[in-house]
Amino acid sequence: MTVRRQPVLGILGGGQLARMLALAAAPLGVKTLVVDSATDACAGQVATLVVADWTDYAALEAFARQVDVVTFDFENVPAETAHWLAQRVAVFPAPRALAVAQDRLAEKTLFRECGLGTPDFMAIDTRADLDRALSTIGAPAILKTRRLGYDGKGQFRLRSLADADAAWVALGPQASAHGLILEAFVPFERELSVIAVRGRDGDFRTWPLTQNWHTDGVLSLSLAPAPDVGSLQERATHLARTLAEQLDYVGVFALELFVKGGELLGNEMAPRVHNSGHWTIEGALTSQFENHVRAVLGLPLGDTAARGLSAMFNWIGELPDAAPVLSAVDAHWHDYGKQPRLGRKVGHATVCAANAEQMVERLGGIAHALGRDQQVGPAVRELG
Ligand code: AMP
């Protein structure tokens, strides 16, 4: 018999997304190697960890030789690192797609080209730009870094024009390095996301729309399939497909959307598996993690249909008591194996149910036992 060589997936970034990718890769017979500069990167508990910086080209050279394909758990990998690797090994999504999604200005410009409206926005490089943009866009508005922002970081909310000084003190120093963007604040009715996947052969699928609630810019709760979306599902799928084709995208990505006046507006695109798709592990026929692995390795994609209703809530800072989740029916506990730290995503739970009534009962019961009624309240109200 010939010796069988198992495929090896390389991941830049060794956080919880890499960890869940590695866990999904294993049943496919795929080995995972992750690169992270932290010796305690949590994906290292379930995959082989290479401790190296993004600019350690000797380590990256050795990494590239050991893997069949490279992907990301983190969108802010420097463009030079992605390009350098792409000259040596297959990299998906391609560095160009990563570069667009790394820059809020390029991303929103592309959204508009693809027919997806966005909040009004203007690029800001100087304090005078900010004054000009505020007089056009008005307040309330949000000043954001164009690059390197995530989970509400690198953002300043301006309630009125009088907040311009404070906004510039907070983010002005980053204007030259990362660029800034001023966006109109959207009084949205709902926040939705569509998780999509495109294979190397162009096969394209989306999971059902997810409804999301954020606290201080960080995802707190997701409900899927989002109730009563009507034609928004078809519209979101069409927009995600157009974007994916424009970027010749391969892999999973998330498109974060606001619903305002019944219309979709594009907030941002995450060029990777996404927190609002964690429910797919137990709640869909194929998870976002498995389909990402399949896509980047050129394997057939799996069915993205939902099994029923799912609600996912995040553990931020530290884990609560696991017992109320572990002892509930069809509830699933995820501990990322990270040390507690203020504002850090350390785990999540997903609760599955056959219908809205059952979900309200299960979710309500778990949240009550954990003293988290407030966190799940919006989903319970949406389903009620
Ligand atoms: P972001 O990092 O841009 O996804 O922002 C995090 C969260 O802040 C979003 O999911 C929204 O809840 C909120 N947010 C961001 N931009 C806007 C906006 N232009 N209008 C209203 N809310 C926003």
Side-chain angles (χ1 to χ4, degrees):
M1 259 185 278
T2 51
V3 177
R4 175 180 172 232
R5 202 189 146 273
Q6 282 179 262
V8 184
L9 170 70
I11 308 179
L12 297 184
Q16 68 269 16
L17 301 179
R19 180 184 170 107
M20 289 185 269
L21 283 168
L23 291 170
L28 298 171
V30 175
K31 293 200 274 191
T32 305
L33 211 60
V34 304
V35 184
D36 200 293
S37 58
T39 51
D40 65 346
C42 72
Q45 295 168 21
V46 302
T48 306
L49 172 65
V50 176
V51 180
D53 274 355
W54 306 131
T55 49
D56 180 348
Y57 289 105
L60 291 175
E61 179 87 58
F63 167 73
R65 271 201 303 271
Q66 289 177 73
V67 300
D68 295 287
V69 61
V70 171
T71 190
F72 310 91
D73 106 320
F74 180 61
E75 66 264 48
N76 292 319
V77 167
E80 309 83 71
T81 305
H83 281 290
W84 189 89
L85 280 167
Q87 283 157 11
R88 287 157 177 83
V89 61
V91 174
F92 295 116
R96 184 175 88 86
L98 197 68
V100 171
Q102 276 175 351
D103 180 350
R104 292 185 189 274
L105 190 66
E107 176 179 78
K108 286 202 164 61
T109 306
L110 178 68
F111 288 173
R112 289 191 170 183
E113 282 165 18
C114 290
L116 172 60
T118 70
D120 288 338
F121 64 88
M122 285 174 80
I124 309 291
D125 292 317
T126 63
R127 176 59 216 261
D129 288 347
L130 178 61
D131 289 335
R132 255 193 308 276
L134 276 170
S135 64
T136 310
I137 288 173
I142 309 189
L143 185 63
K144 300 180 179 179
T145 55
R146 275 172 62 179
R147 294 187 197 82
L148 300 181
Y150 66 99
D151 280 351
K153 294 181 178 67
Q155 300 192 4
F156 190 98
R157 297 193 180 195
L158 294 96
R159 272 170 250 285
S160 74
L161 302 186
D163 288 338
D165 282 332
W168 195 253
V169 167
L171 294 179
Q174 297 187 51
S176 54
H178 306 317
L180 302 174
I181 183 171
L182 185 78
E183 289 177 21
F185 184 84
V186 180
F188 53 76
E189 289 120 39
R190 306 169 86 179
E191 278 200 270
L192 302 176
S193 59
V194 61
I195 312 290
V197 61
R198 186 165 176 269
R200 279 162 81 154
D201 60 358
D203 187 14
F204 177 84
R205 295 161 193 229
T206 55
W207 281 264
L209 277 166
T210 304
Q211 181 160 1
N212 303 307
W213 291 271
H214 292 79
T215 307
D216 299 326
V218 182
L219 184 67
S220 166
L221 173 73
S222 293
L223 178 65
D228 306 321
V229 290
S231 62
L232 294 182
Q233 177 72 54
E234 208 182 313
R235 170 103 180 109
T237 298
H238 167 75
L239 289 163
R241 183 195 291 267
T242 308
L243 273 171
E245 288 174 357
Q246 277 283 324
L247 293 170
D248 197 15
Y249 196 94
V250 173
V252 166
F253 65 96
L255 181 58
E256 295 181 35
L257 301 158
F258 299 137
V259 183
K260 165 103 194 310
E263 297 286 323
L264 296 177
L265 290 177
N267 175 33
E268 69 174 339
M269 174 186 180
R272 52 171 169 75
V273 287
H274 191 253
N275 197 169
S276 70
H278 289 1
W279 65 268
T280 61
I281 297 175
E282 295 89 6
L285 296 188
T286 314
S287 80
Q288 62 165 350
F289 300 100
E290 179 170 347
N291 260 348
H292 185 71
V293 176
R294 292 190 192 204
V296 300
L297 283 166
L299 302 170
L301 301 181
D303 194 331
T304 52
R307 294 179 189 277
L309 270 177
S310 298
M312 188 270 341
F313 37 121
N314 269 339
W315 310 133
I316 314 256
E318 60 185 342
L319 295 168
D321 178 14
V325 177
L326 294 176
S327 52
V329 178
D330 216 351
H332 308 273
W333 177 256
H334 293 261
D335 172 350
Y336 305 151
K338 291 162 88 171
Q339 289 302 320
R341 193 199 295 155
L342 200 70
R344 192 179 210 192
K345 290 176 178 170
V346 292
H348 74 266
T350 300
V351 181
C352 301
N355 54 49
E357 196 184 356
Q358 198 177 55
M359 177 58 86
V360 168
E361 194 187 314
R362 287 185 182 167
L363 195 58
I366 293 170
H368 194 66
L370 292 171
R372 301 230 178 195
D373 308 74
Q374 243 191 325
Q375 187 176 357
V376 304
V380 169
R381 284 191 290 279
E382 192 71 36
L383 291 166

